[in-house]
Amino acid sequence: MSRHVAIVTDSTAYLPRQTTERHGITTVPLTVVIGDRALQEGTEISAEALAQALQKRRSVTTSRPSPEVFAETYREAAEAGARGIVSLHLSAEVSGTYDAAVLAAKDAPVPVRVVDTRMMGMALGFCALAAARTVEAGGSLDEAVAAAEKRAAGISAFFYVDTLDYLRRGGRIGTAQALLGSAFAVKPLLELDGGRIELREKVRTASKAIARLEEIAVERAGSGAVDIAVHHLSAPERAATLADRLRERVPGIGEFHVSEVGAVIGAHTGPGLLAVVVSPR
């Protein structure tokens, strides 16, 4: 982190390691607790291990980084020469990570702008990349924040889950919505709306839901220049098929990422997750 403005995000951005290294982005890990074991996302627990724990119905919870972890990250950035820091995080509607970063920023040795992107996954990752590229081009702290906020304002994220039960258990979706889905045996399509996970549509079968997810993504992408990400948990074949279809149908694709989500998001969605992030340039 030797640039004049350091970029910090959290592990739910799911940026490839080579990408964070190339752009000098620092990632602060969230924690997944399985039984009585607290494990850092990205280094101490894999998506496969998380999926196995969920399938065995073990107790799985998640935890934000502490303010002390953010404070140490900000100190290290300042010592490396940063004169300002942009700290970009997943939606405050679903995690206390933003609040922890705000607390740490108050006593940081350099100015820190903490941004609630109201995103997660590569929806957050694209925001961090927008800020990093602005800094690489000589942009200021304020310009990097503005670039991330502009990117966030245009992003759409849609996803399919096999069941709403995991989201209900974690308090990420209302019990009434979850029970409605179970009672009528429908497959839910969800979206990020104002930083919250909202039920967008109910579809009768998994195949129809995934086909509808594709249609929504194509409609949202339009014919302009867009970056796209496809995420999954324990569904690599579904993800690869959807990615191929989107490459065929969306003419203006710039960056395209296909990846498995980590343990934090996976803990709340369960195996079978399939998500699409559409980010206009």
Side-chain angles (χ1 to χ4, degrees):
M1 289 191 296
S2 60
R3 293 181 175 85
H4 66 290
V5 176
I7 307 300
V8 175
T9 189
D10 60 67
S11 59
T12 67
Y14 301 132
L15 286 162
R17 177 172 296 180
Q18 61 269 27
T19 300
T20 59
E21 291 175 352
R22 182 166 66 250
H23 294 286
I25 299 170
T26 298
T27 301
V28 176
L30 275 73
T31 299
V32 177
V33 182
I34 299 179
D36 59 357
R37 295 186 64 203
L39 305 165
Q40 285 191 346
E41 181 175 45
T43 58
E44 297 179 339
I45 180 170
S46 66
E48 181 181 3
L50 180 278
Q52 290 174 353
L54 291 173
Q55 288 164 348
K56 293 177 181 178
R57 301 191 70 82
R58 297 185 63 189
S59 171
V60 179
T61 59
T62 59
S63 176
R64 72 178 190 179
S66 69
E68 291 74 21
V69 170
F70 279 113
E72 178 60 25
T73 300
Y74 299 156
R75 282 194 296 269
E76 290 176 355
E79 290 169 0
R83 299 191 298 275
I85 300 167
V86 182
S87 199
L88 302 147
H89 301 293
L90 81 162
S91 174
E93 294 282 348
V94 298
S95 171
T97 301
Y98 167 81
D99 294 331
V102 168
L103 285 173
K106 293 178 180 178
D107 298 319
V110 295
V112 180
R113 296 283 298 279
V114 184
V115 180
D116 174 9
T117 65
R118 296 182 172 268
M119 298 292 163
M120 63 185 76
M122 271 303 298
L124 169 58
F126 285 134
C127 296
L129 285 172
R133 287 170 175 145
T134 299
V135 172
E136 290 165 4
S140 66
L141 177 66
D142 287 343
E143 288 170 335
V145 170
E149 291 179 336
K150 182 179 180 180
R151 179 56 76 100
I155 291 176
S156 299
F158 309 99
F159 55 107
Y160 160 83
V161 292
D162 279 331
T163 173
L164 291 170
D165 191 44
Y166 296 104
L167 286 165
R168 179 191 59 77
R169 287 186 215 169
R172 269 46 179 201
I173 197 166
T175 300
Q177 288 181 314
L179 292 176
L180 181 66
S182 299
F184 291 96
V186 297
K187 295 297 184 180
L189 287 178
L190 303 107
E191 65 180 324
L192 278 178
D193 184 5
R196 296 180 300 276
I197 297 170
E198 301 287 358
L199 186 61
R200 178 186 174 98
E201 297 179 16
K202 299 186 291 291
V203 186
R204 283 295 178 184
T205 66
S207 60
K208 289 181 179 179
I210 293 170
R212 180 61 184 143
L213 181 65
E214 176 188 328
E215 291 302 323
I216 292 170
V218 170
E219 291 166 8
R220 181 65 184 87
S223 58
V226 294
D227 297 326
I228 290 178
V230 172
H231 287 308
H232 72 94
L233 181 63
S234 299
E237 293 182 359
R238 280 179 175 175
T241 299
L242 177 59
D244 288 343
R245 292 284 297 158
L246 292 175
R247 288 189 183 99
E248 290 175 4
R249 298 187 62 191
V250 178
I253 294 177
E255 291 185 47
F256 200 113
H257 298 263
V258 182
S259 64
E260 192 164 30
V261 298
V264 169
I265 289 181
H268 296 293
T269 61
L273 165 74
L274 194 58
V276 182
V277 176
V278 180
S279 178
R281 290 198 164 193

